[in-house]
Amino acid sequence: MATTRGIEVRVTPTFVPEQSGINEAWQGQRYVFSYHIHLSNNGQIPVKLLSRHWTIVDADGESHEVRGEGVVGVQPELAVGESFEYSSFCPLSTPWGTMEGAYLMEAEGGEQFEIKVGRFYLVCE
């Protein structure tokens, strides 16, 4: 869990064995992980999530950057006291890896700021 300017981010990663296995397109093993994000606005002003940035590192040390508008096709607005949850996934070619990143937020009034998402582990268990 991480909190920046009153915006709390909780992440719950999970290995998805039914989506994992040998994959010809990957030319080898594919490990699929889902992650559930819970954002809570415990701050003093409404905010809107504009974009995301992830750094994904697999067990071989190979790093990938993912950037995009919003999350799961939306740019959620959070009034004070509101929460937003979503789930997504991350395929890897190794049985474990890490993710970390940030969300670009916009406060009521137009000020933009970044909130960090602390490193979490994707582990095939």
Side-chain angles (χ1 to χ4, degrees):
M1 181 175 71
T3 303
T4 306
R5 292 183 62 169
I7 311 301
E8 180 183 286
V9 181
R10 284 184 281 157
V11 182
T12 306
T14 306
F15 175 59
V16 186
E18 61 274 11
Q19 297 292 320
S20 301
I22 300 297
N23 185 298
E24 289 181 23
W26 281 57
Q27 299 178 344
Q29 189 72 22
R30 174 174 122 149
Y31 301 87
V32 177
F33 301 90
S34 70
Y35 54 93
H36 183 81
I37 305 283
H38 182 99
L39 297 163
S40 297
N41 184 356
N42 301 322
Q44 304 295 315
I45 54 174
V47 296
K48 179 179 182 178
L49 190 154
L50 299 177
S51 64
R52 69 191 182 286
H53 170 222
W54 293 113
T55 301
I56 304 163
V57 181
D58 69 18
D60 294 332
E62 191 169 327
S63 180
H64 301 278
E65 301 286 321
V66 176
R67 294 178 188 274
E69 231 180 63
V71 291
V72 295
V74 297
Q75 292 180 313
E77 297 183 26
L78 297 167
V80 173
E82 284 188 340
S83 296
F84 177 79
E85 297 183 55
Y86 75 96
S87 294
S88 193
F89 72 97
C90 175
L92 293 177
S93 60
T94 61
W96 67 269
T98 64
M99 283 182 71
E100 61 190 290
Y103 295 117
L104 179 63
M105 308 297 284
E106 183 174 81
E108 186 176 66
E111 177 194 4
Q112 294 184 359
F113 62 97
E114 206 173 73
I115 60 171
K116 300 289 182 192
V117 181
R119 181 176 296 152
F120 58 96
Y121 294 87
L122 307 168
V123 180
C124 174
E125 296 185 59

